[in-house]
Amino acid sequence: MHIWRAFPEEKMNSIAYFDPLWFELYTNKHYGPKVVDWIKAKSVFSKKYVFVPIVMWSHWSLLIFCHMSESPDSKTNTPCMLLLDSLHAIGPTRLESIARRLLFDMHVSEERLESKEQLKKMRFLIPNVPQQKNGDECGFYVLYYIKLFLESAPENFNISEGYPYFMKKEWFTEEEVESFCKNLDTLPVDLNDLDDDSASVDSGDSVELIENFR
Amino acid sequence: MVKGLSGRKKPAEEPVLPKVTICIAQDGDEVYFRYVRNKKIQNLLTLYCKEKNIDYRSVEFLFNGKRIATGRNANQLGMVDGDQIDVMTHNIGGG
């Protein structure tokens, strides 16, 4: 996820983001508890925004936990969940129950004091955002949502007074996404992420399989 | 019990390399390996795929939730005995 490296450090300190694999893994009974553990290392309750790129049913969308550090009664920065989806036609509401379960598990794992009832009241919102025109653009839209949200999210917003000013259907145009995609190659690359496939795989004596372990 | 995969004899003066026991888990199925710490983790992962008869390129390996840079070794990745690598099938495309 190199897009994150394009932002200044002080911005990155106020946010957290998950690997796009995590959300779907969370729904798998073998991995769910592990994912909650991994999330614990992200200190989500000290962050202004927590970005959760989602890939489920071969479709990308973006969940943002907002103001998780604030009290549920906060008037200026009410905690809420925003789901940004470029294909409203296929029903993004199907993600709500998983997102709520995750929200609850995150609170339990960090021993937060919010009650189940309080968490149930936290709003799950699907703002009207620009929609994709073709069948294969959802991933690019998610990247562009991230970029623009990070650039323009205000210091404070209270969802009961409406969405942040920029979150509407006319947020950006198709042409803007296209030109953003053209420039994706110029994003900084983390050398650690690159696989070193230049050297051949060593012969087998570096590893042995243990049968019937335990 | 233990199946060595090498027939090659090491010269006597070569120090025995410290190994680490790593578990690779997929959907509740766990396989254990002894692995030389300073060799590329890719060796381990390709062997796993061979054992399981799966395509190396069709899966993603995670360590503590992070995708593994396969050119690194267990030391660089900070792996200790008993650590677990999670395998999941790619499902990253889509529209």
Side-chain angles (χ1 to χ4, degrees):
Chain A
M1 290 299 274
H2 304 140
I3 189 168
W4 305 108
R5 299 179 196 284
F7 297 104
E9 203 179 321
E10 83 254 21
K11 196 142 236 173
M12 294 308 291
N13 287 338
S14 66
I15 69 144
Y17 60 91
F18 300 171
D19 188 290
L21 296 171
W22 287 8
F23 192 82
E24 195 196 2
L25 271 183
Y26 170 71
T27 64
N28 177 316
K29 67 174 191 288
H30 297 293
Y31 298 102
K34 278 189 192 175
V35 174
V36 176
D37 270 355
W38 300 337
I39 290 172
K40 215 170 164 180
K42 294 277 182 186
S43 317
V44 291
F45 294 102
S46 66
K47 307 292 183 188
K48 203 183 269 284
Y49 301 110
V50 179
F51 293 83
V52 188
I54 295 173
V55 201
M56 283 197 86
W57 306 290
S58 296
H59 176 62
W60 283 82
S61 51
L62 175 70
L63 175 68
I64 308 174
F65 291 107
C66 302
H67 311 310
M68 299 283 280
S69 54
E70 305 287 329
S71 126
D73 313 315
S74 166
K75 290 282 173 284
T76 47
N77 283 311
T78 326
C80 68
M81 293 175 272
L82 297 175
L83 182 71
L84 278 54
D85 192 317
S86 57
L87 256 187
H88 282 178
I90 60 168
T93 47
R94 59 188 174 172
L95 292 167
E96 177 171 353
S97 61
I98 308 171
R100 287 199 177 277
R101 199 150 45 90
L102 178 61
L103 174 76
F104 179 70
D105 283 346
M106 277 162 35
H107 278 78
V108 171
S109 85
E110 296 244 16
E111 295 167 20
R112 302 279 298 183
L113 299 172
E114 288 85 353
S115 68
K116 209 166 184 171
E117 278 58 46
Q118 274 175 313
L119 292 179
K120 271 185 189 152
K121 276 188 220 146
M122 190 190 291
R123 295 181 68 189
F124 180 89
L125 300 149
I126 304 174
N128 268 322
V129 288
Q131 300 287 293
Q132 65 188 83
K133 300 286 186 295
N134 299 320
D136 53 3
E137 295 169 324
C138 56
F140 296 123
Y141 272 74
V142 163
L143 288 174
Y144 205 51
Y145 293 149
I146 292 172
K147 176 183 154 68
L148 291 196
F149 188 92
L150 259 174
E151 281 173 2
S152 40
E155 277 299 301
N156 305 304
F157 73 84
N158 185 355
I159 212 70
S160 61
E161 289 161 13
Y163 290 114
Y165 64 92
F166 54 84
M167 290 206 138
K168 47 190 174 204
K169 256 197 153 73
E170 306 78 38
W171 188 9
F172 53 83
T173 63
E174 213 177 330
E175 289 73 34
E176 285 172 78
V177 189
E178 276 169 24
S179 93
F180 164 74
C181 294
K182 283 196 191 108
N183 292 317
L184 274 178
D185 292 342
T186 62
L187 286 175
V189 172
D190 181 352
L191 292 174
N192 286 338
D193 291 348
L194 295 178
D195 289 355
D196 172 22
D197 283 324
S198 53
S200 62
V201 173
D202 300 312
S203 58
D205 61 351
S206 59
V207 53
E208 60 192 351
L209 173 67
I210 308 175
E211 312 242 29
N212 309 318
F213 189 84
R214 284 190 281 209
Chain B
M1 270 301 259
V2 175
K3 191 168 74 179
L5 289 168
S6 153
R8 198 160 56 121
K9 280 267 183 298
K10 281 183 175 56
E13 64 272 20
E14 193 181 315
V16 180
L17 294 165
K19 292 187 173 184
V20 60
T21 304
I22 301 283
C23 168
I24 302 190
Q26 182 172 26
D27 289 328
D29 169 62
E30 299 183 344
V31 186
Y32 289 81
F33 295 90
R34 290 285 291 164
Y35 186 64
V36 178
R37 300 194 61 102
N38 62 2
K39 295 274 188 180
K40 279 199 303 184
I41 203 77
Q42 196 182 350
N43 298 309
L44 172 62
L45 306 180
T46 45
L47 177 73
Y48 173 83
C49 289
K50 228 165 109 186
E51 285 291 328
K52 290 283 166 193
N53 200 18
I54 48 179
D55 183 354
Y56 179 72
R57 287 158 304 179
S58 71
V59 287
E60 195 72 57
F61 295 96
L62 302 177
F63 177 53
N64 288 334
K66 295 191 188 91
R67 290 173 216 216
I68 296 178
T70 53
R72 310 199 129 201
N73 63 38
N75 286 331
Q76 293 165 324
L77 294 164
M79 289 177 169
V80 297
D81 270 338
D83 271 346
Q84 202 169 73
I85 292 174
D86 296 298
V87 189
M88 74 169 298
T89 42
H90 272 303
N91 184 19
I92 221 68

